[in-house]
Amino acid sequence: MCGIVGVANLREPKPIPEELLSDMLGAIRHRGPDGFGIYRHDWIGLGNARLSIIDLSSGDQPIGNEDDSLWVVFNGEIFNYLELRPELERLGHRFHTHSDTEVILHMYEELGPGCLNRFNGQFAIALWDERQRSLFLARDRVGVRPVFYTLAGDQLVFASEVKAILQHPAVRGEIDRQALTETFTFWSPQPPHSIFKNIFELPPGHYLLLKNGQIQIRPYWQPAFVPDEPGRSSESYLEELESLLIDSTQIRLRADVPVGAYLSGGLDSSLTTALIRSYNSNRLDTFSISFTDPRFDESAFQGQMAEELGTDHHEVHCDYRDIAQAFPDVVWHTETPILRTAPTPMYLLSRLVRQHNFKVVLTGEGADEFMAGYDIFKEMKIRRFWAENPDSKLRSRLLFRLYPDIQRMGASGAFLVGFFKRGLLDTTSPFYSHQIRWTNTARTWRFLADDAANKLEPDLALPEGFSNWPVLSQAQYLEVVTFLSPYLLSSQGDRMGMGHSVEGRYPFLDYRVMEFGGRLPPDLKMPVLTEKWLLKRLGQKYLPERIWQRVKRPYRAPIHRSFFDPQPLDYVTELLSEDALRATGYFEPSAVVKLAQKAAGGGELSEVEDMALVGILSTQLVDHWFVRGASRQHRSVLPETRLVVDRTGILQ
Amino acid sequence: MDPVEEKISRYIADNILFSKHGYPHPLDASFLENGIIDSMNVLELVMFVEENYGFKVADEDIVPDNFDSVTLLAQFIRRKQALKV
């Protein structure tokens, strides 16, 4: 795990100053504090901040091939590098290190961009071909690791995080109003947009090629949810899932440092932890979050699971005030507005991991998307069932199962039913499953100063045949591309881990598991309203009944109480003041001031008001850190700590 | 505007819509169809009614027929007040 940076000339050779690359690396030194490397050529400069996990002694980057014509910097892991290496050696490639990074170089020599199809991993790769004078910039299939880029004059500037790109003298941070509205609808800007104008995210499963000043961006993988033809037994699928998950977990334990695990108390992380336990006898450390507020706390289940598996368990306790205090740092790392505080406890959790000298943790993300665990899938199925007979007084009552608090809505639950009736008959829309969520979130637009760019549907090139996919598959696809990749894996995943130099690894996001989830017939994922049916069958084998049978509880963290109970911290008061809101100009000051007064009044806020509150505060913080130049002081990478490969002046 | 309608619409404009231009919808506009309130806001409106009009709202009265627009809510309040007298 690491961070990468780079600047490439599009028109003419002009060596990139070493100081600029050092400043860019300095901005993301949290991603890789163990060593820094720079490669310089007349046409490009590359940099790497390394978190050493595999091949501690000789894995420093940049790494060149046998004749120094190809150079790579790399963020992430190629988990199947041990299998790929002998294959490459048989083809005559000589290796100088034991790292997975070198496998990238030689596989690229063999297959060009096609090498990506051979990698099982989570990565961002920047590879420079001196002979061809071409740059190959690539990102893993589902976007576990980030890459951003922009054009600055005649240069392409790219990095793992935007804050490194902002070190370039010709780049400035400016919030893109359209991306802001997207955030206040889908919870994040939709790729390739970032929250910053003219700074883009390389979409997951894509690569960028730069040659002769021309940039091309191409996809190499996208999630597909086309079920197998009927005929296989559920037992046969269960066996396949088990063997895939055992292997995807095992190869994610490959590291020259100890590997721990997150334990949320739910099915997914309990299962991956149990799989580690079943096939390894070493000591295992697990890490969890507990909350003072019992509505969010799962520590009883976490404790049970840790005891069951005999792990050395560690817990970080999270109070309202902890969230408010850490929040400015959290937004420094997300570098984009967020509508939930849930990333903050993840940030505190990675700090705990680091305090115990761990750099790597396995975690359960991805199961809810690919094995169908979320309530939004059930909600879609209930609404379609209801739409079959919209006048039925009974069909809509299935919603009561999803929302047990319905009694608070009056005896009949008539209002809740009313909310879900909006667009009920629009069943041919490709976005049917997500329309309620997006419409509901868009109610936060009432706080935006300018929602002219409003759109309730994402700009998505849907896969061929999408309209013929089963409805559950369509919903799963939308959840992956609009939510998992741009939000969960980013603001709540990569950034919160890397904020404390901790790498998360995701057995459920092994591409073989994702593709299995795509092929799995819907009735083995969610028969009627039972979530993750097949995965639960596997859970039955490895977990106590009280864990695998638990009703799923979404991971959330308190919002308005964190910021206002008992008193707001100074920065909250300041950033939500009428003057500060007027100065930034993104929101209607009078509306926000009223919202803040309501939150300070101590009553409950609605879900939409909670989202608006944290969205506004985080936008103000993004502006503070990255637009107004209040950027945190960070140290450039000092000359004595960096390895420099200087190939300027070398003609090919 | 009738004072009941005015009070309800002002409350919603100030505390739910956070609007600086007053209540921006027709008084008979459906709360549900126009996304004016959400589930928590319904309960907030129930509290508003109880605090301001001196009667308890029964669970079975919390239905769209009574709570889905300013007009419907005002009619509901007037009916209940008439019963009290």
Side-chain angles (χ1 to χ4, degrees):
Chain A
M1 262 313 293
C2 312
I4 60 172
V5 304
V7 181
N9 294 310
L10 301 181
R11 307 273 172 256
E12 55 190 38
K14 187 179 164 196
I16 310 302
E18 194 177 318
E19 292 67 31
L20 171 60
L21 296 166
S22 293
D23 286 349
M24 291 174 76
L25 287 174
I28 55 166
R29 65 163 61 230
H30 50 272
R31 297 186 71 88
D34 297 335
F36 305 97
I38 284 173
Y39 165 88
R40 292 181 71 225
H41 182 269
D42 293 337
W43 283 89
I44 197 169
L46 300 171
N48 170 269
R50 183 174 183 224
L51 183 65
S52 41
I53 289 171
I54 290 176
D55 191 6
L56 307 186
S57 58
S58 66
D60 287 338
Q61 302 179 29
I63 292 182
N65 66 344
E66 296 97 327
D67 64 3
D68 287 344
S69 63
L70 287 181
W71 290 88
V72 69
V73 289
F74 165 57
N75 162 208
E77 307 292 344
I78 308 294
F79 296 117
N80 61 338
Y81 75 107
L82 292 178
E83 287 75 19
L84 297 178
R85 184 177 166 132
E87 188 183 319
L88 290 163
E89 283 172 333
R90 279 197 297 278
L91 290 166
H93 294 278
R94 284 178 292 114
F95 283 77
H96 302 292
T97 74
H98 300 285
S99 71
D100 51 344
T101 314
E102 205 177 353
V103 166
I104 299 170
L105 279 174
H106 299 306
M107 195 57 88
Y108 184 82
E109 286 180 299
E110 286 297 323
L111 300 175
C115 67
L116 297 169
N117 298 317
R118 301 297 314 278
F119 298 152
N120 186 347
Q122 48 189 46
F123 50 79
I125 296 167
L127 191 151
W128 173 249
D129 184 332
E130 287 190 359
R131 286 203 188 100
Q132 298 285 324
R133 271 197 224 139
S134 66
L135 169 71
F136 172 65
L137 187 64
R139 194 169 174 207
D140 64 70
R141 292 172 179 81
V142 75
V144 174
R145 298 300 162 214
V147 185
F148 294 91
Y149 65 92
T150 191
L151 288 176
D154 281 350
Q155 293 183 321
L156 172 75
V157 187
F158 60 90
S160 299
E161 297 186 21
V162 172
K163 51 181 75 68
I165 293 176
L166 293 175
Q167 300 302 307
H168 191 286
V171 181
R172 54 185 287 268
E174 184 184 346
I175 288 187
D176 179 341
R177 301 286 178 141
Q178 186 187 336
L180 190 63
T181 309
E182 285 179 357
T183 304
F184 278 72
T185 311
F186 312 114
W187 291 34
S188 66
Q190 295 297 292
H193 296 152
S194 79
I195 195 63
F196 299 102
K197 202 175 267 184
N198 298 325
I199 298 179
F200 301 96
E201 168 185 343
L202 182 62
H206 282 63
Y207 64 88
L208 177 155
L209 278 177
L210 165 64
K211 193 174 177 187
N212 299 329
Q214 301 295 313
I215 293 173
Q216 293 181 314
I217 294 175
R218 294 180 184 156
Y220 69 93
W221 188 90
Q222 65 175 338
F225 288 91
V226 182
D228 289 341
E229 292 297 319
R232 270 180 76 180
S233 68
S234 61
E235 282 313 307
S236 145
Y237 279 112
L238 184 59
E239 281 168 24
E240 185 181 353
L241 176 61
E242 183 175 14
S243 85
L244 278 176
L245 270 183
I246 291 170
D247 192 59
S248 72
T249 304
Q250 291 301 312
I251 63 174
R252 278 164 180 75
L253 296 173
R254 288 175 176 171
D256 296 326
V257 295
V259 177
Y262 282 167
L263 203 51
S264 74
L267 171 68
D268 314 333
S269 60
S270 297
L271 185 56
T272 48
T273 308
L275 287 172
I276 300 173
R277 238 339 169 207
S278 299
Y279 295 92
N280 302 274
S281 53
N282 302 343
R283 165 195 163 131
L284 177 63
D285 285 60
T286 48
F287 302 88
S288 296
I289 308 163
S290 64
F291 290 96
T292 306
D293 190 330
R295 289 172 300 171
F296 304 96
D297 187 56
E298 306 246 315
S299 54
F301 295 103
Q302 295 155 358
Q304 270 177 18
M305 211 42 231
E307 199 181 319
E308 191 88 30
L309 295 170
T311 67
D312 288 277
H313 191 60
H314 316 279
E315 188 178 290
V316 61
H317 189 74
C318 199
D319 204 343
Y320 297 143
R321 195 38 46 117
D322 298 324
I323 290 177
Q325 281 172 342
F327 196 67
D329 282 346
V330 164
V331 178
W332 161 258
H333 287 290
T334 64
E335 55 190 14
T336 196
I338 46 179
L339 301 194
R340 284 275 194 265
T341 50
T344 316
M346 299 302 290
Y347 180 67
L348 301 174
L349 183 60
S350 70
R351 185 173 71 192
L352 177 77
V353 170
R354 196 61 185 179
Q355 282 164 350
H356 284 82
N357 294 317
F358 279 76
K359 294 178 179 177
V360 184
V361 284
L362 262 61
T363 149
E365 274 85 353
D368 284 323
E369 290 80 2
F370 287 93
M371 298 290 144
Y374 283 130
D375 278 354
I376 197 167
F377 304 141
K378 296 184 188 177
E379 181 191 295
M380 175 274 298
K381 291 187 76 173
I382 294 171
R383 290 180 72 238
R384 284 182 181 278
F385 172 70
W386 179 15
E388 294 286 328
N389 182 359
D391 296 328
S392 165
K393 294 274 182 277
L394 297 175
R395 289 180 174 236
S396 60
R397 295 188 79 85
L398 274 175
L399 287 165
F400 295 15
R401 194 193 284 192
L402 283 191
Y403 303 100
D405 288 347
I406 204 157
Q407 289 310 321
R408 301 195 316 169
M409 301 293 304
S412 66
F415 261 92
L416 198 74
V417 167
F419 289 117
F420 288 104
K421 200 164 189 173
R422 293 185 75 187
L424 183 72
L425 301 181
D426 192 14
T427 51
T428 54
S429 163
F431 304 119
Y432 187 75
S433 56
H434 283 62
Q435 271 169 343
I436 293 275
R437 180 201 280 175
W438 294 338
T439 308
N440 199 39
T441 307
R443 295 174 69 246
T444 57
W445 292 355
R446 62 186 56 162
F447 296 97
L448 293 175
D450 170 16
D451 63 1
N454 58 27
K455 271 198 318 190
L456 269 173
E457 292 180 348
D459 280 326
L460 276 182
L462 294 169
E464 210 181 313
F466 180 86
S467 59
N468 297 322
W469 288 4
V471 293
L472 177 63
S473 304
Q474 293 180 0
Q476 287 180 277
Y477 177 87
L478 292 178
E479 188 65 13
V480 170
V481 300
T482 68
F483 195 75
L484 173 72
S485 295
Y487 171 72
L488 272 186
L489 293 178
S490 171
S491 290
Q492 203 165 299
D494 175 84
R495 304 322 159 72
M496 293 305 98
M498 293 319 301
H500 290 114
S501 315
V502 171
E503 170 180 303
R505 295 181 175 184
Y506 310 92
F508 288 104
L509 295 178
D510 185 302
Y511 78 95
R512 297 166 302 170
V513 179
M514 293 193 285
E515 290 177 355
F516 173 84
R519 286 189 282 111
L520 192 60
D523 61 339
L524 298 185
K525 286 185 273 199
M526 184 175 276
V528 190
L529 296 178
T530 303
E531 78 278 5
K532 291 187 284 201
W533 185 85
L534 194 72
L535 195 66
K536 283 184 173 178
R537 298 285 83 70
L538 188 59
Q540 239 171 318
K541 182 169 173 182
Y542 288 92
L543 301 172
E545 191 170 325
R546 60 183 181 276
I547 296 287
W548 70 261
Q549 279 208 331
R550 269 189 74 198
V551 175
K552 181 178 165 48
R553 189 165 157 176
Y555 162 68
R556 297 180 66 163
I559 293 188
H560 62 276
R561 283 183 202 277
S562 300
F563 296 113
F564 286 92
D565 190 357
Q567 293 295 322
L569 294 182
D570 288 348
Y571 81 87
V572 177
T573 309
E574 163 60 25
L575 291 176
L576 297 183
S577 71
E578 202 156 342
D579 286 348
L581 292 158
R582 216 173 289 290
T584 58
Y586 309 121
F587 303 103
E588 278 291 340
S590 64
V592 178
V593 167
K594 283 178 191 166
L595 175 65
Q597 282 166 353
K598 190 170 181 178
E604 284 299 311
L605 292 194
S606 74
E607 190 186 357
V608 170
E609 289 162 353
D610 256 346
M611 286 195 279
L613 183 68
V614 71
I616 293 162
L617 191 57
S618 55
T619 306
Q620 293 286 89
L621 281 163
V622 169
D623 181 274
H624 170 79
W625 290 130
F626 302 107
V627 177
R628 280 173 196 258
S631 215
R632 294 201 316 190
Q633 292 297 314
H634 39 255
R635 292 165 293 134
S636 182
V637 174
L638 299 173
E640 58 271 26
T641 62
R642 62 200 189 214
L643 163 77
V644 179
V645 175
D646 195 336
R647 305 265 300 167
T648 53
I650 291 176
L651 297 176
Q652 288 283 345
Chain B
M1 195 190 302
D2 185 284
V4 179
E5 271 91 342
E6 188 178 339
K7 196 163 178 171
I8 298 168
S9 55
R10 191 174 340 114
Y11 176 81
I12 295 174
D14 284 351
N15 298 282
I16 294 178
L17 298 177
F18 306 98
S19 161
K20 65 176 176 185
H21 307 296
Y23 189 70
H25 304 280
L27 296 180
D28 60 353
S30 159
F31 294 157
L32 290 170
E33 282 172 24
N34 296 286
I36 296 169
I37 61 171
D38 69 13
S39 53
M40 185 67 77
N41 298 143
V42 177
L43 297 176
E44 215 178 306
L45 279 184
V46 173
M47 273 178 79
F48 163 81
V49 171
E50 293 189 353
E51 280 179 15
N52 285 278
Y53 296 99
F55 62 87
K56 292 275 168 240
V57 179
D59 271 5
E60 55 268 26
D61 283 335
I62 310 174
V63 291
D65 283 350
N66 295 331
F67 275 79
D68 193 35
S69 71
V70 173
T71 307
L72 287 172
L73 184 53
Q75 287 168 356
F76 170 69
I77 290 167
R78 280 192 286 267
R79 276 200 310 277
K80 286 288 179 186
Q81 284 184 320
L83 284 176
K84 229 171 54 172
V85 175

